[in-house]
Amino acid sequence: MKVLAIETSCDETGIALLEGKKAGGRLEFTTLKAALLSQAKLHAEYGGVFPTLAKREHIKNLPVLFADFKDEQFDAVAVTHGPGLEPALWTGIEFAKALAAERQIPLLPVNHMEGHIVSSLARPATGPDVHSSVLQNVRTIADVQFPVLALLVSGGHTEFVLMKDWFEYTLLGRTLDDAVGEAFDKVARMLSLEYPGGPEISKLAKLARDAKYPPATKLPRPMLHTDSCDVSFSGLKTAVLYALRDLGGMHTLTSEQLAAFASEFEDAVGEVLVAKSRRALQESGAKTFVIGGGVAANTYLREQLQKMVLDEFDDVEFRLPELSITGDNAVMIAEAALARLLLGNWSLEQPRSNLDIKAQGNLSLAPKVL
Ligand code: KG4
Ligand code: ZN
């Protein structure tokens, strides 16, 4: 079964063609072709994603990327219908609708966050010989032990979602204000670093840790001890602002202080996310833990979470996504659609949805259970 997927929820335009198979209990995804164009550089001068510009770029990029797929055959078109920036989502939806209508094949609406979860559960397939290299472009999902806890961390989201069984979600906690990626981006801006700020802060933080620079400031750990899996990052951002002011402003910082500042920020975020992940694992009795979204590329966070799970949860399997899949892309959208189709949750004969798909900026996987 082949699915062509389109992703335009934020500032990446992605198209991917995947073939999916079910063999025994495992799902196998082969990426036949994938194209991705990032607009991050264009948005950098606004210090964040500028929705009208994103829309214009997606409209321009989609036909260019699709040119390479136009002679391909596929059984369905999958498209991200939310959450994300509505003007951006609409561009992908309109393109997908036209394509599905022209080919007379089903159009499948995919939740972007489900794409992050499903793709984080998948792992590169290896060849028949254990020592042979990883099979090119083949990823599989096998032996998933439920419940699965997912920590989703991106520019727009920070949430703990529990998947009790395939595609059955409960929200365990979320950010009460800024998403963690947004906090990285805003703090990076205060430190005069480029957008997207996550990778920039991360690089400086590593430098400070490796060189053992003295601390530049002490930042709070918001909601560390509260009795829930919710988090909050806006106070941390304000604390950075005040700390910078107290030190005499950003421009008085030495490069050592700047790096130490970045590492203290990353420590604060890491400490909170590790503590809340521990709580979510305890509360939910999850057997599998995954992280997904752009911030899941953060090396320090990956290491800290891995250490916590290894040290404290013998019976939990931690699946770390490959770096190539953490940021937004269309492969993850195709994998989510294929997983639903292969597991019988969707059918190509009776597509769950048709051509009246709408962009849903605030689409959520699950309501919050209080
Ligand atoms: O999932 P994503 O590509 O797009 C959204 O759906 O938001 O996530 C983008 C976010 C940005 O805020 C970016 O700064 C952050 O992910 N990010 C990182 C790192 N790489 C990307 N944050 C921290 N450390 C990183 N290495
Ligand atoms: Zn995302």
Side-chain angles (χ1 to χ4, degrees):
M1 173 185 303
K2 288 186 191 170
V3 167
L4 180 112
I6 297 178
E7 155 66 37
T8 63
S9 68
C10 192
D11 61 352
E12 321 279 338
T13 317
I15 303 186
L17 177 65
L18 270 75
E19 175 155 31
K21 272 191 241 154
K22 197 169 168 207
R26 28 187 271 150
L27 307 182
E28 194 177 289
F29 309 117
T30 306
T31 301
L32 302 171
K33 242 177 213 185
L36 189 66
L37 259 179
S38 174
Q39 310 167 5
K41 291 238 155 23
L42 285 174
H43 293 282
E45 70 178 278
Y46 301 95
V49 183
F50 192 58
T52 346
L53 177 61
K55 175 180 167 177
R56 195 189 74 193
E57 288 299 306
H58 288 308
I59 290 175
K60 194 172 82 190
N61 294 340
L62 280 168
V64 177
L65 294 187
F66 185 72
D68 202 26
F69 295 80
K70 68 179 191 327
D71 299 326
E72 303 287 345
Q73 294 299 313
F74 34 90
D75 304 295
V77 181
V79 64
T80 305
H81 70 134
L85 303 168
E86 286 196 0
L89 288 164
W90 271 119
T91 64
I93 292 173
E94 294 299 353
F95 195 88
K97 273 186 189 174
L99 182 60
E102 183 195 311
R103 303 259 181 138
Q104 302 210 322
I105 53 177
L107 177 61
L108 307 167
V110 175
N111 182 312
H112 180 88
M113 304 319 278
E114 184 164 277
H116 279 305
I117 296 181
V118 170
S119 65
S120 290
L121 283 170
R123 288 181 296 198
T126 45
D129 171 2
V130 184
H131 300 291
S132 72
S133 59
V134 166
L135 289 177
Q136 276 262 303
N137 300 332
V138 184
R139 291 158 41 84
T140 59
I141 297 186
D143 310 320
V144 179
Q145 301 295 315
F146 290 97
V148 174
L149 175 70
L151 167 58
L152 299 172
V153 278
S154 70
H157 286 82
T158 302
E159 55 196 33
F160 287 101
V161 176
L162 191 70
M163 185 157 78
K164 280 170 287 176
D165 200 343
W166 281 110
F167 318 121
E168 281 176 34
Y169 302 105
T170 314
L171 186 64
L172 297 186
R174 62 184 178 340
T175 180
L176 301 179
D177 39 61
D178 294 350
V180 62
E182 190 182 351
F184 266 99
D185 295 337
K186 286 180 177 166
V187 167
R189 204 168 161 185
M190 289 180 211
L191 298 175
S192 299
L193 302 171
E194 270 195 20
Y195 172 85
E200 299 296 313
I201 291 196
S202 184
K203 256 185 262 162
L204 283 179
K206 180 172 179 348
L207 185 74
R209 276 184 212 110
D210 290 351
K212 300 199 166 49
Y213 290 159
T217 184
K218 181 74 191 164
L219 295 171
R221 272 59 177 156
M223 296 184 65
L224 187 63
H225 300 295
T226 56
D227 192 17
S228 82
C229 298
D230 290 334
V231 291
S232 159
F233 294 109
S234 76
L236 188 53
K237 182 186 66 191
T238 316
V240 169
L241 193 72
Y242 290 152
L244 278 175
R245 192 194 57 190
D246 293 348
L247 288 168
M250 155 66 207
H251 298 288
T252 64
L253 295 189
T254 62
S255 58
E256 268 191 27
Q257 277 176 314
L258 180 69
F261 218 99
S263 95
E264 171 63 7
F265 172 75
E266 203 176 54
D267 279 353
V269 169
E271 211 175 308
V272 170
L273 288 176
V274 167
K276 295 297 179 177
S277 299
R278 176 186 292 117
R279 169 180 280 273
L281 285 169
Q282 282 164 348
E283 264 182 21
S284 65
K287 293 276 186 289
T288 306
F289 181 39
V290 293
I291 56 173
V295 185
N298 185 278
T299 313
Y300 182 71
L301 184 63
R302 291 165 76 95
E303 286 168 3
Q304 295 298 305
L305 287 171
Q306 188 153 42
K307 183 172 181 321
M308 183 271 290
V309 178
L310 277 175
D311 289 353
E312 302 172 36
F313 295 88
D314 285 346
D315 55 344
V316 174
E317 186 198 357
F318 186 31
R319 293 197 185 182
L320 267 171
E322 295 156 81
L323 292 179
S324 62
I325 206 85
T326 56
D328 291 346
N329 62 82
V331 171
M332 71 182 202
I333 302 305
E335 288 181 346
L338 281 167
R340 284 209 182 237
L341 289 166
L342 295 169
L343 291 164
N345 191 273
W346 283 351
S347 143
L348 286 179
E349 282 71 47
Q350 297 149 306
R352 224 179 61 105
S353 170
N354 49 33
L355 298 178
D356 12 280
I357 293 171
K358 291 187 175 57
Q360 294 178 55
N362 296 317
L363 183 68
S364 82
L365 282 173
K368 165 102 173 145
V369 175
L370 298 169

